[in-house]
Every structure is written in structure tokens, then in C-alpha cells.
Amino acid sequence: MKAAASSGQRERLVIVGNGMVGHHCVEQLVSRGALQRFEVRVFGEERQRAYDRVHLSEYFGGSCAETLALCERDFYSTSGVHLHLGEAVLEIDRERCEVVTAEGRYGYDHLVLATGSYPFVPPIEGCSGSARLVYRTLDDLDGIRAAAAEARRGVVVGGGLLGLEAANALKSLGLGLRRLGLFTSIVLFDQRVSMWTSLLGLTVAVIASLKFGLAFLLVYLLWIGITRLILTIMLLCSGHNVGPAYPLILYYNQIIGALMKIYVFFRLDKQSWTRQPTALKRDLASFQQWFNTWSSRTMTFSAASIFVAVLFMVV
Ligand SMILES: Cc1cc2nc3c(=O)[nH]c(=O)nc-3n(C[C@H](O)[C@H](O)[C@H](O)COP(=O)(O)OP(=O)(O)OC[C@H]3O[C@@H](n4cnc5c(N)ncnc54)[C@H](O)[C@@H]3O)c2cc1C
């Protein structure tokens, strides 16, 4: 969003959001000498200056806001950037090219929105106040710590990476482990077994058809077709909107899913979940690094050998 620059003066650049992106933007402006051309003003809703949100969980492991901070305390003032912390932009007046906060109105010639994202909270009844916590900011983590002090049990909704980090945080806060319910245990067991059986069935059918005749592969495909069709019909009857290609997609998903799971499962030492150009900490002691690599390789080799042995037994 851009309006005419005030002539003779530096152009006014307002950045809304002092998170990882907003801060990186300021760093780039400073390092490229752009402050000669722009008067930069940054608004951050949070009280803390930009910090490393990717390593937020370390806050429960002894880090503090200061160690997580992305810059020295005086970086903004010495660079000549106006930093407004704890001051959310409430409105953008595009007609007058001004941002509005609780403290006042600030004009801009250029506006950068680096406001990040908000966690989605499902509309669950009773999920409000201290019973509804999210895992995104340092304040959120303080809230979780305070709530945990008076709680016996915590529930994490969402089992992705952040869900796992949150669960680990609850554990470190002494909320303890509970046994998994029977259904969850069965689902997890099924996931682990099916990543092998899906592939085993297909491989046995292919080898058997090569060895004894095409009939084996045809019977296998018939079995796959009928069972996936029955599931599709059941889904249709229970009101799900599934198309005619669903049985095929289902089977394709199972095979690709099994390959993916096996691939990931045996490369745990290589995992680095990130969309940012950040590097996973690899400063492990050399023995630990060696152990991670070789235990992964041994697991892959053992599992592949068992798979081939079962194959020979069956066919
Ligand atoms: C626990 C955790 C672990 C993560 N791990 C990883 C990882 O391993 N790899 C990875 O790639 N990503 C990870 N992420 C995601 C990553 O942190 C985000 O992608 C990244 O922080 C996005 O940067 P951003 O600047 O766009 O948003 P944010 O860092 O969220 O910053 C936006 C800032 O804008 C402020 N703001 C919003 N609205 C206003 C307003 N109206 N006025 C003023 N300020 C406002 C917000 O308060 C916030 O401080 C993780 C996130 C979390 C929470």
C-alpha cells in the first residue's frame, strides 16, 4: 500500500508486526542502508521485542524472553527505528494513509503488514478463559504455566508438530502422562502394522502372479476393489460426499501413505521440520550423531530383511 511520499523528507515506512518476518524486514532495511531514505516505525502487539518463535518451547526448558530475542535490546534505538511494543494497530485508514492504535494515529507512505497468523480454536462449548489456551506467544506460555499450576490434567487438541510440543510442555509442567485410550492404541497399532501389510499384500500378489499365474494378481485386485467399494458405499450411505473415483484414490493413498511412512520412520535422524531457512541444531556429541545414524540404518536393514523373509515364507 503506497501513497505519495512527503517531499523533502524521508518517506514514512510503517511495519505492523514485530515477529520473525517484521524483524527480518527491519534487519534488511538497516543492513542495506535504507534508513537514509525511510523513517521506519514498527508496531508490535506483544510486549516483548521480536523473538525466535520457532524455538518457543525452549522457554519451558530454561530459556527466557531475553535469550530468545532476535536482537540486542538497543538494536532498534541505535538503528534509529521507532519501536512501539505492546501497541496493536487497531485500524488502517487507507484514505488518510494512517494507522490507528490506542495511543494515536501515525501517517505512512509505505505500509508493511507482517502480522503472522492466529491459532484456530474450534468452537467447543465451555472452551473459554483459562480452559482455552493456545501455544503461540511467550504470554501464551506464561498462561499455560499458570493454568498448569492449578490443574491435574491437560488436553492438547491437535496432534501435529505444535501439538506434540505442547504435550511435551504439559509433561514438563508435571501434568503427567495418561495411558492412551483403547481406541487410540488400536488406531496407532493399526497404522504401524498397515504400513507393512499394504505393501506386503501387493508384493505377494505380484510375485505369486509371476510365479504361478496371473490369476493371483486378478484375485488380489478383485479383493481390493470389492473391499474399497464396500467402504465407499458405506460412506455414501452415511451422508459423505464421495465421488466414483474414491475406491481408487483410497487404495492409491494407502500404498503411497505406506511408502511415505516407512521412508520417514527409518530416517528419524534426518528429520528437520521447517519451512524457514533455519538449520536444525546438529551440534550433538559425535557419539550421539554416530549412534543416531547407525541405529536408523540398522532399523532399516532389519525391517527390510524381515519383510523379505516374510515374503519368501508366504510365496
Ligand atoms: C511453538 C512454535 C514452533 C514453531 N516451529 C516452527 C518450525 O520448526 N519451523 C517453521 O518453519 N516454523 C515454525 N513455527 C512457525 C513460525 O514461528 C512462524 O511461521 C513465524 O513465526 C511466522 O513469522 P511472522 O513474522 O509472519 O509471524 P509472527 O512471528 O507470528 O509475528 C507476527 C507478530 O505480529 C503481531 N501482530 C499481529 N497483529 C498485529 C497488529 N494488529 N498490530 C501489531 N502487531 C500485530 C503479533 O502479535 C506477532 O508478534 C513455529 C511456531 C510456533 C508457535
Side-chain angles (χ1 to χ4, degrees), residues 13-309:
L13 171 61
V14 166
I15 301 176
V16 186
N18 187 224
M20 297 185 72
V21 171
H23 174 72
H24 187 67
C25 180
V26 174
E27 271 185 341
Q28 292 300 309
L29 289 167
V30 172
S31 69
R32 287 159 197 245
L35 263 67
Q36 291 178 346
R37 181 177 157 198
F38 298 109
E39 183 194 0
V40 181
R41 199 173 283 281
V42 182
F43 292 91
E45 190 177 23
E46 294 180 65
R47 292 172 294 121
Q48 302 84 1
R49 66 184 187 283
Y51 53 87
D52 185 355
R53 206 178 297 286
V54 169
H55 292 112
L56 189 66
S57 297
E58 289 173 19
Y59 191 58
F60 282 135
S63 288
C64 61
E66 208 45 46
T67 45
L68 288 174
L70 291 177
C71 61
E72 295 298 323
R73 191 184 286 277
D74 59 356
F75 169 76
Y76 283 81
S77 55
T78 52
S79 307
V81 175
H82 308 283
L83 179 61
H84 300 249
L85 287 180
E87 193 174 341
V89 168
L90 305 172
E91 195 188 319
I92 297 169
D93 186 339
R94 292 182 67 188
E95 294 282 305
R96 299 167 70 172
C97 286
E98 286 177 347
V99 293
V100 184
T101 74
E103 308 295 320
R105 304 177 76 95
Y106 303 84
Y108 64 81
D109 299 307
H110 305 271
L111 183 63
V112 174
L113 298 179
T115 49
S117 57
Y118 292 94
F120 167 71
V121 179
I124 301 169
E125 202 177 320
C127 179
S128 59
S130 65
R132 169 210 177 276
L133 298 153
V134 294
Y135 198 82
R136 198 182 69 86
T137 67
L138 287 170
D139 284 348
D140 293 339
L141 266 56
D142 283 337
I144 291 174
R145 201 196 299 267
E150 295 174 4
R152 279 191 309 119
R153 207 180 283 191
V155 172
V156 177
V157 179
L161 186 105
L162 293 193
L164 293 181
E165 287 206 19
N168 196 36
L170 295 192
K171 197 176 137 206
S172 72
L173 289 169
L175 289 190
L177 286 174
R178 305 264 150 197
R179 284 181 69 82
L180 290 176
L182 181 66
F183 179 72
T184 317
S185 308
I186 291 173
V187 169
L188 285 177
F189 181 71
D190 172 67
Q191 288 282 313
R192 285 185 188 160
V193 172
S194 70
M195 75 186 192
W196 291 109
T197 49
S198 320
L199 292 185
L200 193 67
L202 177 63
T203 322
V204 167
V206 171
I207 295 179
S209 73
L210 288 173
K211 207 167 160 188
F212 307 113
L214 198 61
F216 281 89
L217 186 60
L218 293 178
V219 169
Y220 170 77
L221 290 178
L222 196 67
W223 165 254
I224 291 293
I226 290 173
T227 47
R228 273 58 181 178
L229 197 65
I230 291 174
L231 182 66
T232 308
I233 292 169
M234 282 165 69
L235 284 172
L236 278 171
C237 293
S238 57
H240 289 81
N241 187 16
V242 289
Y246 192 76
L248 275 181
I249 295 172
L250 191 63
Y251 183 61
Y252 171 82
N253 241 346
Q254 283 174 322
I255 297 296
I256 298 295
L259 287 171
M260 289 285 291
K261 276 182 217 158
I262 290 172
Y263 184 83
V264 171
F265 195 68
F266 292 113
R267 278 164 188 78
L268 294 180
D269 65 316
K270 296 271 188 292
Q271 297 308 305
S272 73
W273 180 84
T274 180
R275 285 169 287 125
Q276 315 282 343
T278 49
L280 188 72
K281 270 191 184 165
R282 292 266 181 230
D283 52 353
L284 298 173
S286 61
F287 172 74
Q288 208 177 337
Q289 221 165 33
W290 174 89
F291 181 79
N292 282 353
T293 308
W294 279 99
S295 56
S296 269
R297 285 182 188 167
T298 313
M299 261 170 73
T300 314
F301 179 74
S302 320
S305 310
I306 294 172
F307 184 81
V308 173

